[in-house]
Amino acid sequence: MTRILGSTAIVVALALAVYGAVAAVVGVRRRDGALIRSSQAAAYANCGLLTLATLAMVYALLTHDFSISYVAQVGSRATPTFFTIISLWSALEGSILFWGFVLSVYTASVVYFTRGRLGSLGSYALATLHAVGIFFYLLLTGVANPFGAVFPVPADGPGPNPLLQNHPLMAVHPPFLYVGYVGMTVPFAFAIGALISGRLDDVWLKATRRWTMTAWIFLSLAIVAGMWWSYEVLGWGGYWAWDPVENASFMPWLTATAFLHSVMVQERRGMLRVWNLTLIIATFLLTILGTFLTRSGILSSVHAFANGPIGYYFLGFIALVLLVSLVLLAGRSAELKTAGHLDRLASREFTFLINNLLLSAFCFTVLLGTLFPLVAEAVRGVKVSVGGPFFNRMSLPIIVTLLFLLGVGPALPWRGAGADVLGRRLLPAAVAAGVVAALALALRVPSFYAVLAFAFAAFALVSNVQEFVTGARARMRAHGESAPRALLRLIGANRRRYGGYIAHLGVLAVATGIAASAAYRFEREVTLKPGQTVTVRGYTVRFDGLWAKDEPQRFVVGADIAALDARGRPYRTLTPRLNFYRNGGEPITTPAVRTRLDDDLYINLLAFERDGSSATVHVIVEPLVAWIWIGGLIVALGAAIGTIPTGARVRSRKVVRV
Amino acid sequence: MNWKRSLVAAAAVVPVVGLFYYGMGQDPKAIPSPLPGRPAPPFALNAMGTADTVRLADLKGQVVVLNFWASWCLACRSEHEVLREAAARYGPRGVRFYGVLYNDTPENGAAYIAEMGGQSYPTLLDPQTRTAIDYGLYGVPETFIIGPDGRVVYKQVGPVTPETFTRYVDPLLGKREAAR
Amino acid sequence: MSLAAALLALVAAVAPVQAGAPAQGAPPVAGATTARDSIIGEQVRQIASELRCPVCQGLSLQDSPSELAQQMRQVIRDQLEAGKTPEEVKAYFVSKYSEWILLEPAPRGANLMVYVLPVLLVVGGGAGLFVAARRWTRQPAPAGAPLPEDEAEEPETLP
């Protein structure tokens, strides 16, 4: 019953998406309003149908309906309810279903918020959204059908991948990633709409700004949540391994970040129109590429799902999107050409151009490194690896330069300023950078890039904070407001600008956390007998014994590790664990992490003697790790402030005055 | 629209899609070993349940089949029968079979052999995993066929099949037997 | 013996320890280090972070908690203690596991591409941008639509 409901909903959605795409295009060509409205209705209907299908799947998972192929694949009666629900996205078919659901919600919301206002541009964008929908619904009816029939019906299933049912962050990282990824379809659809309709001015940019921002916020949060998940689960004390799939989520973030900056140049100076279209198309393509890399098994990765024919579908889709985009962009490039003009090189416009160059080069480096094993195999016939050392070597110079720019940008006004103004504005920041650099050198910070990162982070911190101080002071003088009030009003009246600066502060927190935890990581790997202690970077911990626990879905072995204070008295017990899942081979680690704002004490249980006579533990002390997670939240907060419309507030205030 | 430019730009699709299409045909997990053709790394290991030490150097002139396995390895169970039959067939023709226990305790290894109905050839203990690393092991099961000249002829990743032996061991024996 | 049975045997083995109190008295400290140890330790860390763990895909030997990675780190340590140079240790692993084990491709031949192309992009792009920007600064501001005020918030449209 559930199976028929779910699969029927998807088949109908597929038919409606095909109809909607055709109706939107024919409607524009024939200027037939009724046809266009029917295409919009199809978008609403699909939102309902995909919601229904997704709820049907959740219901099937919860009721352990093993007659449905996806439930038989990832369900298990022993899995706790929470992980049963989130196993919706723990394997291929479910994640594609969730993708389709998110896409249908986006499509319906776009129709709701823009209907009747954007003319042919909106209709072509709607046709594009329907067309992307066709691809995903097609997968759901064929190669990625989650509602397949299973006969005979098994009594129980294996449960989700152990790695994905070991931490609650699995409830955050994948859905946020999908909401971010899929959200990039909206600006892409409007870019394609603009290219087809020939409305190449800023309308498509303005119409999609908030959608892009929303998608970007979710993508940023998803990346940070993914780092946190790696840190809390994989047990090596790190959060970023340059794994192909981490890279796949990072690349569209880089191009989208470049886009968020470069659109401002187009809005103010009318330049970079081809570039902005290219960036957003690239962002969309990179989200599809990321999915292709995970789903096709083309690169080996921790995150790779089982491979199958689905990779060829994604490859075909990538080829189609690339072809359509290139044909449209090249065909329209002459019409898009504008006369460039800059007042000065020392202007905000020019820093945005450099920012775009660096972010694109960063993205290209990551893409090249990720795909290079394929290239090397094709060219040399040899398997090579491209991992952390390569990416660090290549990206660190770009990252520190971006940190520097992040300080220069806000200090430079639009249209530019002379050297005297520039010097005055940047002097405090430069002094801060000098002090921090000298301090870092005096303290013998072990890495050259860490010194630069700290110095430029200080530089950018002062420069960005200065913007708030200057603005608030001006308000205090002009309106006689108190300092906190002036600050809030300042941000409220210029949300996009100051939201951006707040996001910058978040980026600085992330960068400082990464630089500090990488440069000042202290670790020991020791085998301890009960009662023995080990000291790492001022922390002394004592191994007190092993315990074991039998749970329905897994078997857990834990070590009690007491953290000792200066007098040797225990003040806290940490319990790193090893989880042996009934459906999986290698044990999954649950490191014990004591997080503080200044540093993290991270203990991982590596091995143990079965008679409990000893345990091998990895004790790591890393400073400022918490600031990576906090910084991620600040970035999202700043971007959210920048996304809230000012217009709504202004209008409501007017109403009050009347 | 300028269709001439469009056509030129469209050509850029070909190399990108071509690269991915090529990649889809490759297995990212199949990493070729540099060992075949090179002298097999020497070892001297204790045979499980005995006081004997087996040295590769003493086996010169003979065909050696070296099978790395573990009791916790599921794929090893599926190849056990193939190995037993191969040992029964090739053992009398002078092929020396050895198992090497990988990251496992001798007790578990012995229990496994008993459970699987015995094993006609010795299993060597590699307590520090040095020999496994010397042979560039990725996991278990992996099987090496070493020729009479002491060089690695072939490395099988994953369970062996009867064809593994007909393809790689038979020619070695043919050469040797012809030489006699 | 199945996994479950193995684990149940483990419970039986571990349970008494859980109940028993840890050893009393001054706890001995594990592993004291000497200067030479710490130099070799640093070299081990460096080499292990440049080699790929064969069983965990993507992680280095240094970062991998797997048993094989631990043993391979011990091999690195032993070879260094026996007087081998870091280069010789890495060459040993390449001879066993092929180039695949290097997390950074050797900068030779076609591999150079992966190092050179990003640099070319930054240098070439930077030069191109600079030249274009110089041209743009010499061009007069396009007539027509007035530019928005310097720091003014652009007019917002409701979504």
Side-chain angles (χ1 to χ4, degrees), chain A residues 289 297 327 331 333 335 377 383, chain B residues 2 5-6 22 26-28 30:
Chain A
L289 178 74
V327 163
S333 59
E335 294 160 62
E377 201 173 355
K383 291 240 199 263
Chain B
N2 181 336
R5 281 197 190 179
S6 294
Y22 166 82
Q26 309 295 316
D27 180 0

Side-chain angles (χ1 to χ4, degrees), chain A residues 564-608:
Chain A
L564 307 180
D565 62 16
R567 291 188 203 149
R569 283 184 311 213
Y571 63 92
R572 178 157 178 182
T573 300
L574 291 126
T575 50
R577 291 174 291 154
L578 277 171
N579 308 288
F580 297 83
Y581 280 86
R582 309 229 186 275
N583 64 349
E586 286 275 301
I588 310 291
T589 57
T590 303
V593 189
R594 195 246 32 205
T595 296
R596 264 190 354 209
L597 289 182
D598 57 344
D599 61 11
D600 274 21
L601 173 62
Y602 187 107
I603 304 180
N604 194 30
L605 177 59
L606 294 176
F608 54 87

Side-chain angles (χ1 to χ4, degrees), chain A residues 256-268:
Chain A
T257 307
F259 177 78
L260 293 183
H261 290 90
S262 68
V263 288
M264 289 187 257
V265 180
Q266 179 174 346
E267 285 169 12
R268 284 165 195 275

Side-chain angles (χ1 to χ4, degrees), chain A residues 66-69 72 148-154:
Chain A
F66 294 114
S67 69
I68 291 174
S69 56
V150 180
F151 191 84
V153 177

